[in-house]
Amino acid sequence: MQLNLNKPICFFDLETTGVNISQDRIVEISILKVFPDGKEESRTWLVNPEMPIPKEVTAIHGISDADVADKPIFKELAKEVHNMIKDSDLGGFNSNRFDIPLLAEEMLRAEMDFDMKSRVAVDVQTIFHKMEQRTLSAAYKFYCNKDLDGAHSAEADTRATYEVLKAQVEKYDEIENNTKFLAEFSSRKNFADFAGFIAYNKKGEECFSFGKHKGKLVTEVLDKEPGYFGWLLNADFPLYTKKVLTAIKLRSLNNKLS
């Protein structure tokens, strides 16, 4: 079967130096671009993370410092990656909570703009967990009746993710074959930023989801406590979260002037 697409979708997977979205870096990225007519385009890059890869992380994905020593840094690849995904929705396995936020950080560090305003994201793991509660290897075996050879290599995981999603759509009558439904079904909570520090309330207003101002409107907090904005920008929050906060503050200032 084919996915019912109204635009291309890029399934992608990252291998990284760790799981800290703000601090860790990409060491491998694989993208499988699927077009509405079923045509596919695939690219995989090894990336020099400009930092040591911990031995315990190398033990998981098999990529060592020596493997990436002579590879391009992400900033040198950012334009090529951007050109591949710029017209596409995104798909991945645990991508809403990890791969997309970390990719956004790398893009912003490379001075490439990144946002999700014109695309949706389909998280195959969320669909899987809602329906079966397992891992990618188990999902691949369950839905495709295949063993996942090369698990934790970006290319193998990317291909498996695409095949699992197609099998999920085919298996469950309640899952519609369009990316808008799949994105909504695979989303966990409605956040303004990827990392989940700024959530939307029932009225669609941005609220803090952490700390002493949890549940309060961002605009009200920044208005009553201006120093909090400066603290947020200087603290160890993801770049994309800071970008969203800055946009909210500018929007609030423009509303006051108009």
Side-chain angles (χ1 to χ4, degrees), residues 39 41 60 86 100 103 107 127 155 214 228 234 238 247:
K39 175 187 159 189
E41 178 184 336
I60 295 172
K86 65 182 179 182
I100 291 176
L103 179 61
M107 284 291 198
I127 296 173
E155 188 168 359
K214 184 175 181 179
Y228 194 58
N234 290 315

Side-chain angles (χ1 to χ4, degrees), residues 44-235:
T44 300
W45 299 268
L46 282 171
V47 185
N48 186 331
E50 302 181 274
M51 64 185 295
I53 304 172
K55 291 181 179 178
E56 60 270 22
V57 178
T58 295
I60 295 172
H61 55 48
I63 301 170
S64 67
D65 291 334
D67 294 326
V68 296
D70 62 347
K71 301 303 178 184
I73 64 174
F74 188 83
K75 190 170 185 177
E76 296 170 330
L77 297 171
K79 188 172 182 180
E80 194 173 356
V81 172
H82 170 76
N83 287 339
M84 191 167 183
I85 69 174
K86 65 182 179 182
D87 62 343
S88 305
D89 293 327
L90 298 178
F93 198 85
N94 194 34
S95 48
N96 284 356
R97 291 192 295 176
F98 181 72
D99 298 85
I100 291 176
L102 201 147
L103 179 61
E105 292 298 291
E106 290 278 36
M107 284 291 198
L108 291 172
R109 275 192 289 266
E111 299 178 348
M112 298 288 295
D113 194 24
F114 185 94
D115 63 54
M116 297 293 293
K117 292 176 183 175
S118 60
R119 57 166 65 108
V120 297
V122 178
D123 193 327
V124 176
Q125 187 195 60
T126 303
I127 296 173
F128 184 36
H129 284 180
K130 283 186 175 182
M131 307 306 289
E132 303 296 343
Q133 302 289 311
R134 297 193 186 169
T135 63
L136 178 57
S137 294
Y140 198 51
K141 184 68 174 177
F142 182 86
Y143 289 110
C144 305
N145 197 28
K146 300 178 185 177
D147 293 319
L148 181 51
D149 296 326
H152 295 300
S153 81
E155 188 168 359
D157 288 357
T158 297
R159 171 66 61 177
T161 297
Y162 171 48
E163 291 186 23
V164 167
L165 179 60
K166 291 195 295 179
Q168 287 173 329
V169 171
E170 193 167 25
K171 180 177 178 65
Y172 302 112
D173 292 338
E174 60 266 46
I175 294 181
E176 297 177 17
N177 188 0
N178 67 76
T179 45
K180 185 175 186 297
F181 174 88
L182 293 169
E184 291 175 354
F185 190 79
S186 64
S187 67
R188 293 178 178 271
K189 208 170 182 181
N190 199 8
F191 291 109
D193 66 330
F194 297 129
F197 290 109
I198 307 168
Y200 290 108
N201 63 17
K202 292 181 180 180
K203 295 181 180 179
E205 301 165 317
E206 297 99 341
C207 296
F208 286 110
S209 61
F210 71 98
K212 64 179 182 179
H213 294 305
K214 184 175 181 179
K216 297 179 182 178
L217 292 177
V218 174
T219 51
E220 290 184 0
V221 172
L222 297 186
D223 186 50
K224 294 178 181 177
E225 197 176 329
Y228 194 58
F229 178 71
W231 176 81
L232 290 167
L233 291 189
N234 290 315

